[in-house]
Amino acid sequence: ADDRLDDLETIGRLGVAVCYNNEFPEVPRRLALAGAEVLALPVNWPLVDRPAGERAPETIQAMAAARSSRLATVIADRHGSERGVAWTGGTAIIDDDGWIAAAATGGAGPVVATLRLRHPGDKSLPPHNDLFRDRRPDLYT
């Protein structure tokens, strides 16, 4: 074992989904149910038309998934264009409330944010709801 690891503080459990996987709400939810506290999401999002001032639909989907599963999300996206494909440049850090804590300026550059994550078992949506305990999987079939 590497002795340097003995001094490191555990900051959370990491789940990984790749690009299109995040379009399916059950993927981040399943990772969160398995104990993930942060979702690493490497993506290649092609730029799509959208109304002026709106975020990319993939970013909105990631924000919703982060909120509905209380799963902070770190997105690493391509930017610019390559071989005729323009990329969204959606690199961002989303907190576990679903809000963007930091995003790439102009689609490029490093993105840094400090997040205070909830206790791993806290999936509350105050004041009266809990996103995991209130589930009714017995009714899903």
Side-chain angles (χ1 to χ4, degrees):
D2 190 334
D3 292 334
R4 294 175 296 166
L5 297 179
D6 294 338
D7 295 329
L8 294 178
E9 179 183 344
T10 300
I11 59 170
R13 294 185 70 185
L14 182 68
V16 179
V18 178
C19 202
Y20 186 56
N21 295 151
N22 204 56
E23 291 293 319
F24 304 96
E26 59 272 21
V27 173
R29 173 56 60 94
R30 180 74 178 150
L31 290 167
L33 285 168
E37 297 166 80
V38 176
L39 173 62
L41 187 59
V43 301
N44 287 327
W45 289 337
L47 187 62
V48 297
D49 289 335
R50 59 182 182 258
E54 290 292 340
R55 295 188 187 278
E58 298 89 351
T59 301
I60 295 168
Q61 173 70 30
M63 292 169 68
R67 179 176 173 78
S68 66
S69 291
R70 291 292 192 224
L71 185 61
T73 302
V74 179
I75 302 166
D77 190 14
R78 293 177 80 161
H79 68 279
S81 63
E82 181 180 319
R83 290 181 276 159
V85 177
W87 303 101
T88 298
T91 295
I93 299 171
I94 302 171
D95 69 18
D96 56 8
D97 283 323
W99 298 112
I100 294 185
T105 304
V111 176
V112 178
T114 300
L115 303 180
R116 183 175 303 277
L117 301 176
R118 290 178 165 70
H119 182 275
D122 179 7
K123 299 298 180 180
S124 63
L125 190 62
H128 303 290
N129 300 313
D130 186 289
L131 293 167
F132 285 12
R133 286 195 302 251
D134 293 342
R135 294 170 63 243
R136 296 288 308 274
D138 55 307
L139 300 177
Y140 297 171
T141 55

